[in-house]
Amino acid sequence: MAAAKPNCLIVCSSSTEGVSASSFIHAFTLTNSTFNVQIVTPQGRQIEYIRSDDSSKRWINEFRTKTISVPGKLENIQASRFSAILIPSSPGALYDLAENEVMAGLLNRFIEQKKPICAVGYGVAALFSAKNENNKSSWSFKNYSLTAPSLFELARAENFNSLPIIAEDFIKDHGGTYSASECDAVHVVMDRHVITGQNDQSTLCAVQNLILLCNGRHGKMKS
């Protein structure tokens, strides 16, 4: 009898600034073959996919015909039901996940239990929500090594001057260790149970590392 698949929660922004189509497609395609996947957004609002070419538009149009594409409510999620959290690259995360208290609570439960957390590109901003529950001025991911879009990458964005948060600055200012590779290069950082990818191009590598980490953890729990 085959072992039951672990559950993976994919958290996406529902802000109009959107979710990277290519990052989401890589994230969903890889995890859906290994996990039981559930997709959620704040209040269960629809996802706005951005940066899509003809191929990704076709994939998303087909995906939207499936029941699994309809996001559940982040507010209804119980951390105990999931083995992993994955946050694809979502520029919108800067606006609706970076200070989301429900997201913070979920991440804190995962940190306590050392469950795998993976965030890619702009999705790393969702990690900024997590504060120490006994000291709200202390970031839950301080002392972790992380990556996120570099200042150089962000500076090319049309809305750079209006971005509410610069990820590189936030990580450094709140006690984390930040690293980045050349612009547009794949760069993934794994520190304990937390995996971060620098940009959309890093999605594939980051999610592969998440799957390996979960498989190792799942194997230990069964033995």
Side-chain angles (χ1 to χ4, degrees):
M1 186 175 176
K5 288 182 179 180
N7 298 325
C8 179
L9 184 68
I10 298 182
V11 182
C12 292
S13 167
S14 58
S15 168
T16 54
E17 284 75 14
V19 174
S20 163
S22 64
S23 183
F24 177 85
I25 291 168
H26 280 308
F28 177 83
T29 304
L30 278 173
T31 52
N32 194 45
S33 62
T34 307
F35 299 95
N36 296 312
V37 173
Q38 182 173 353
I39 300 164
V40 295
T41 62
Q43 299 298 330
R45 297 187 188 98
Q46 188 171 338
I47 299 168
E48 183 75 31
Y49 296 101
I50 62 168
R51 302 176 185 162
S52 52
D53 57 17
D54 289 342
S55 175
S56 57
K57 281 177 182 174
R58 283 194 299 271
W59 189 95
I60 287 165
N61 285 338
E62 183 180 345
F63 176 67
R64 278 182 163 153
T65 66
K66 300 174 181 176
T67 306
I68 195 173
S69 71
V70 180
K73 288 186 177 183
L74 175 63
E75 293 76 11
N76 293 343
I77 293 302
Q78 294 179 323
S80 59
R81 289 187 51 234
F82 294 90
S83 300
I85 287 181
L86 172 57
I87 308 148
S89 186
S90 308
L94 293 165
Y95 299 88
D96 67 353
L97 293 177
E99 295 183 357
N100 187 296
E101 290 187 3
V102 176
M103 186 84 231
L106 201 57
L107 290 168
N108 281 331
R109 300 292 82 75
F110 268 65
I111 292 169
E112 286 168 8
Q113 298 169 29
K114 297 180 172 57
K115 289 183 182 180
I117 298 167
C118 179
V120 181
Y122 287 94
V124 175
L127 306 187
F128 303 164
S129 64
K131 303 296 193 297
N132 186 305
E133 290 170 349
N134 297 317
N135 178 7
K136 294 296 184 183
S137 65
S138 178
W139 185 37
S140 300
F141 291 95
K142 72 174 185 178
N143 301 324
Y144 279 83
S145 295
L146 305 162
T147 187
S150 65
L151 186 59
F152 184 71
E153 286 172 311
L154 293 178
R156 298 185 306 173
E158 291 180 9
N159 64 337
F160 173 66
N161 290 331
S162 61
L163 290 176
I165 306 169
I166 303 298
E168 180 177 343
D169 291 346
F170 183 99
I171 292 167
K172 291 175 178 176
D173 292 346
H174 290 80
T177 301
Y178 176 84
S179 68
S181 187
E182 295 177 18
C183 190
D184 297 331
V186 172
H187 181 61
V188 172
V189 174
M190 186 168 174
D191 185 349
R192 290 159 277 180
H193 60 109
V194 178
I195 301 162
T196 48
Q198 181 176 333
N199 45 36
D200 289 19
Q201 296 88 311
S202 302
T203 306
L204 192 62
C205 182
V207 177
Q208 285 171 337
N209 276 279
L210 175 68
I211 291 168
L212 288 171
L213 183 60
C214 288
N215 284 345
R217 181 184 170 92
H218 205 51
K220 282 181 184 176
M221 290 174 69
K222 287 191 293 180
S223 60

